[in-house]
Amino acid sequence: MRAPTSEQLQELLSQIIQRIMKALIRYGVLIEEEGMTFLADMAADTALAPFQSADCTYRIALGPQAGQKVLTLKTLPMQSTQQSQSSRACCTNVHGFCICL
């Protein structure tokens, strides 16, 4: 059997993302209204509320640096000379989700 093409991997990953989103909506984690998807309101009295708030705003939640912005590292794409043709065909990235074979 041949390795899947890049297009086939993207289609598979899109299906996985759709199923994950539907499951999160079904479990009440996400709310879908008028074609938009939102994070469901979490109870403010839960122990995780301050951490969720800090996470959504890219802030440090605890310690002496609490409230400061988090250092964000960005990844650079590999140069085509370093990446073989076969490895490019076996990986895809869609909306922050990644699949590699």
Side-chain angles (χ1 to χ4, degrees), residues 32-99:
E32 189 172 32
E33 292 179 357
E34 300 176 16
M36 301 282 295
T37 306
F38 303 97
L39 187 61
D41 289 333
M42 303 301 278
D45 60 343
T46 65
L48 295 178
F51 301 109
Q52 291 170 332
S53 176
D55 185 47
C56 290
T57 58
Y58 298 99
R59 303 278 176 183
I60 298 173
L62 299 172
Q65 297 176 337
Q68 293 181 7
K69 289 284 258 183
V70 174
L71 173 65
T72 308
L73 301 176
K74 296 184 181 191
T75 58
L76 299 174
M78 295 178 70
Q79 294 181 2
S80 60
T81 57
Q82 295 175 335
Q83 194 174 22
S84 71
Q85 188 73 9
S86 62
S87 68
R88 277 186 282 182
C90 294
C91 288
T92 189
N93 187 347
V94 178
H95 302 293
F97 290 83
C98 181
I99 188 170

